[in-house]
């Protein structure tokens, strides 16, 4: 499957999945019909750039030189992002919208009362699903009285 669909890969670590407490890096590919398939799993000692680089070099060895990933989706794990830059320098690293939303909602929750939080949460969901900046502009307009939340959304 990887040879047929090498263009888009997603990578994420899971924790405490084994008795040794090693992080498990899962690498998933995406087909042209948006179905996913497992590419590789790797237990790593810790989440350091050199560990990720080792895994990505092994992955690169499994791939044809003319069919390397174009897009790699990750969470905001900086060590993984740096390893991707060094092993797949021509690939675009995108952040996973699930992880972005999870972080925004977790960090911004304490800035709102219950009613306003529901409104912000719904508006943020529309921003995430929007293909244009229109919803983001509406979020900024509707919640201008919460500058800390808007600042977090824009900077992070």
């Amino acid at each position: 499957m990887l040879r047929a669909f090498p263009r888009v890969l997603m990578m994420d670590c899971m924790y405490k999945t084994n008795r040794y407490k090693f992080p498990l890096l899962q690498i998933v590919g995406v087909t042209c019909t948006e179905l996913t398939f497992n590419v590789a799993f790797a237990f790593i000692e810790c989440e350091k750039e050199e560990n990720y680089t080792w895994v990505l070099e092994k992955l690169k060895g499994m791939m044809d030189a003319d069919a390397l990933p174009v897009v790699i989706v990750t969470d905001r794990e900086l060590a993984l992002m740096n390893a991707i830059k060094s092993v797949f320098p021509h690939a675009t690293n995108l952040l996973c919208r699930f992880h972005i939303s999870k972080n925004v909602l977790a960090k911004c929750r304490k800035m709102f009362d219950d009613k306003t939080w529901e409104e912000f949460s719904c508006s943020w969901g529309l921003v995430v699903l929007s293909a244009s900046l229109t919803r983001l502009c509406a979020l900024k307009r509707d919640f201008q009285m919460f500058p800390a939340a808007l600042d977090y959304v824009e900077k992070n």
Side-chain angles (χ1 to χ4, degrees):
M1 291 293 287
L2 179 61
R3 286 197 172 106
F5 303 104
R7 300 294 183 212
V8 178
L9 298 177
M10 297 183 287
M11 301 178 186
D12 194 17
C13 262
M14 293 177 263
Y15 306 93
K16 300 178 185 173
T17 57
N18 59 82
R19 66 179 168 179
Y20 304 109
K21 306 289 190 253
F22 285 169
L24 173 66
L25 177 64
Q26 180 181 17
I27 302 173
V28 176
V30 181
T31 68
C32 59
T33 57
E34 298 181 13
L35 296 175
T36 59
F37 60 94
N38 290 316
V39 172
F41 297 94
F43 286 110
I44 56 177
E45 184 178 358
C46 58
E47 293 180 287
K48 291 191 175 177
E49 187 175 337
E50 56 267 16
N51 294 340
Y52 287 123
T53 300
W54 180 84
V55 172
L56 295 177
E57 289 288 351
K58 297 297 178 189
L59 174 66
K60 188 175 183 179
M62 295 171 26
M63 304 177 83
D64 296 330
D66 61 336
L68 296 175
V70 176
V71 174
I72 300 176
V73 181
T74 65
D75 60 358
R76 196 167 176 257
E77 174 59 42
L78 297 178
L80 177 56
M81 293 169 72
N82 290 335
I84 289 168
K85 276 185 212 169
S86 67
V87 178
F88 298 112
H90 300 292
T92 300
N93 186 198
L94 299 177
L95 296 179
C96 170
R97 95 175 145 190
F98 168 79
H99 287 96
I100 292 170
S101 285
K102 188 172 130 186
N103 289 342
V104 166
L105 296 177
K107 299 289 184 191
C108 293
R109 174 64 182 107
K110 61 184 173 263
M111 300 175 194
F112 297 93
D113 60 42
D114 289 341
K115 182 179 185 309
T116 311
W117 170 247
E118 289 297 323
E119 294 170 8
F120 178 83
S121 180
C122 289
S123 291
W124 173 250
L126 294 173
V127 168
V128 170
L129 296 175
S130 178
S132 71
L133 294 176
T134 307
R135 296 286 187 181
L136 180 60
C137 292
L139 180 87
K140 288 179 183 180
R141 182 191 67 237
D142 295 345
F143 296 95
Q144 61 188 335
M145 61 289 234
F146 298 96
L150 295 178
D151 188 53
Y152 182 82
V153 165
E154 285 194 48
K155 289 184 179 174
N156 294 293

